[in-house]
Amino acid sequence: MMRIRVLACVLTISTICAGGIVNHASAQQGSERDTVRRPSEAAPRTQPASPQAPPVQVVLSKMHALNQMEMQVGQIAAERGGEEAVRRYGTRLFRDHRFADSKVTALAEEKGIELLPLPRLPGDQAKMMQLKQKAGQLQNMQGAQLDRMFLPMMVQAHTVAITTLDQALSMLDDAAVSTLIKRVVPILGQHRSLAQHLQQAASETSQDRQEAERVTP
Amino acid sequence: MTNPEAERKPSAKARLYGGAAAGMIAGAAMAMVAMIRAAAVGLGFWLPPKQIAGVIYGVDALIGGGSAVALGLLIHMVMSAAAGILFALVAYRLSTMTSLLVGMVYGVLVWAVMTWLALPLVNQVMLDRVMVMPNWWFVYHLIFGGMLIVVPGLINAFSPVGTRSAAGARGSAQTIPS
């Protein structure tokens, strides 16, 4: 009986300690990644948003806009992509960004922040608007044609997203938003790597086909 | 002159088989909770095993098909069996209730090893993803550890018939000296 009490105490203490370090672990993961990945340290800081739109609102709104756009293109690729791998990638994008968006909207709601649409955001949103236009063009495509446009677009979109969020991280002092960004950025990195791999595989396949056509009389 | 302490010790074979079986049961329960949770939040039922398959396929495992899922489940079950064996080799004398508590502490230990040692070394893809939901990642390991409650019963079940204890049926791992 005594032994059980001692064990119960050990369990309780270890659970409390471990629970405390769970968050520390994730924060540490983020800061470790920062030292490796954050390009913004060398780059000049972006100008803070206008006084009407606080930085947290701008960042959450940008994240929301990016998630919405990637959900849209992910769904198009999942339904109309040429290669099976591209369709699966589309599904993965859709699911991950839907999940990320639920976190963004929940956080905005918790802080009582209104999420602004892209055109209403201060600063230069040219790159994001350009991506949004390209996403619109995808709606009229399918099969290999869609794959050819979709994959480079995803590499570009995720590069823009990672840069934007890294820069945002350097000017934010909101712990909850910073933690969310630190958790999301590596997933965006995975999406970009996947798009690059698929692009590479597609170019190798087309090279093989061209070679086979040359060899075949 | 025999050593009664040694005689009460279950055979190495019983501890090995019992630990492996318990580890697989605990691992299956952990995987099931993780997969149901992933499906519930909209990330997809098969995402957890695909993440595990990242150890071989890298980031491509995330868009892998059946082979990635099968590989992930296989790796998970082998690792769970190994963790179960390790637990059974060390904690074979515990009663059912004690193994629940010690098992949960062991689960926390496994979580710490996975988070700070194993995943950073061999599966960054999975580490990035589990850090999106760090609290759940911790809970999954508590479930694994808690399910090791079956260790005493399984060690007893794998012990030779003559050496099983009546208490074993109630969950104690102690065997009757022959």
Side-chain angles (χ1 to χ4, degrees), chain B residues 158-177:
Chain B
F158 281 103
S159 296
V161 176
T163 61
R164 282 181 200 171
S165 67
R170 296 193 300 270
S172 168
Q174 291 184 343
T175 51
I176 296 168

Side-chain angles (χ1 to χ4, degrees), chain B residues 115-137:
Chain B
T115 307
W116 282 294
L117 196 68
L119 291 188
L121 282 176
V122 299
N123 197 347
Q124 187 65 41
V125 172
M126 184 169 175
L127 182 64
D128 287 343
R129 288 196 165 251
V130 297
M131 281 307 143
V132 173
M133 291 188 281
N135 298 338
W136 278 95
W137 171 239

Side-chain angles (χ1 to χ4, degrees), chain A:
Chain A
M1 199 61 196
M2 185 64 190
R3 206 168 51 169
I4 292 176
R5 277 186 197 152
V6 171
L7 284 165
C9 285
V10 170
L11 178 69
T12 312
I13 292 165
S14 64
T15 308
I16 291 165
C17 293
I21 51 181
V22 166
N23 288 328
H24 172 71
S26 55
Q28 202 181 22
Q29 294 284 341
S31 63
E32 277 167 11
R33 268 183 224 114
D34 278 357
T35 56
V36 179
R37 291 190 188 175
R38 196 190 288 178
S40 56
E41 281 173 3
R45 285 186 169 198
T46 50
Q47 287 298 312
S50 66
Q52 290 83 11
V56 172
Q57 185 181 23
V58 175
V59 171
L60 287 178
S61 299
K62 278 186 184 178
M63 288 175 86
H64 178 61
L66 276 165
N67 283 328
Q68 291 292 320
M69 187 195 74
E70 306 230 8
M71 277 163 67
Q72 185 194 346
V73 293
Q75 201 164 17
I76 292 169
E79 285 165 6
R80 287 188 265 141
E83 297 287 329
E84 173 68 25
V86 174
R87 289 198 294 274
R88 280 194 194 139
Y89 176 60
T91 307
R92 181 79 272 137
L93 272 184
F94 177 76
R95 287 177 172 171
D96 286 348
H97 284 284
R98 183 177 58 184
F99 178 73
D101 202 43
S102 70
K103 298 277 176 195
V104 170
T105 48
L107 192 56
E109 207 169 299
E110 191 186 303
K111 290 180 176 292
I113 291 172
E114 184 202 355
L115 295 171
L116 302 170
L118 263 186
R120 277 180 59 199
L121 287 177
D124 182 22
Q125 311 300 339
K127 278 184 184 172
M128 285 178 70
M129 292 302 283
Q130 196 187 347
L131 285 169
K132 213 176 172 190
Q133 280 173 353
K134 279 190 184 176
Q137 288 170 13
L138 280 180
Q139 279 176 332
N140 306 318
M141 296 179 183
Q142 61 177 9
Q145 190 196 14
L146 185 139
D147 293 1
R148 275 195 298 274
M149 185 170 174
F150 171 65
L151 295 173
M153 185 191 153
M154 283 300 98
V155 175
Q156 193 195 351
H158 285 95
T159 305
V160 169
I162 291 167
T163 312
T164 307
L165 292 180
D166 275 336
Q167 285 174 345
L169 206 53
S170 65
M171 66 178 198
L172 278 179
D173 57 355
D174 187 300
V177 180
S178 297
T179 303
L180 181 63
I181 292 175
K182 282 175 187 170
R183 287 176 184 174
V184 163
V185 167
I187 307 300
L188 297 177
Q190 290 182 356
H191 289 169
R192 182 172 59 181
S193 301
L194 280 168
Q196 284 166 335
H197 292 183
L198 290 172
Q199 225 181 331
Q200 203 178 339
S203 74
E204 278 168 12
T205 312
S206 78
Q207 274 176 5
D208 287 350
R209 253 183 230 151
Q210 282 172 358
E211 231 163 81
E213 279 168 12
R214 245 182 267 145
V215 172
T216 315

Side-chain angles (χ1 to χ4, degrees), chain B residues 141-161:
Chain B
H141 287 88
L142 275 186
I143 291 169
F144 175 81
M147 285 300 289
L148 291 176
I149 192 172
V150 297
V151 163
L154 284 170
I155 289 179
N156 202 44
F158 281 103
S159 296
V161 176

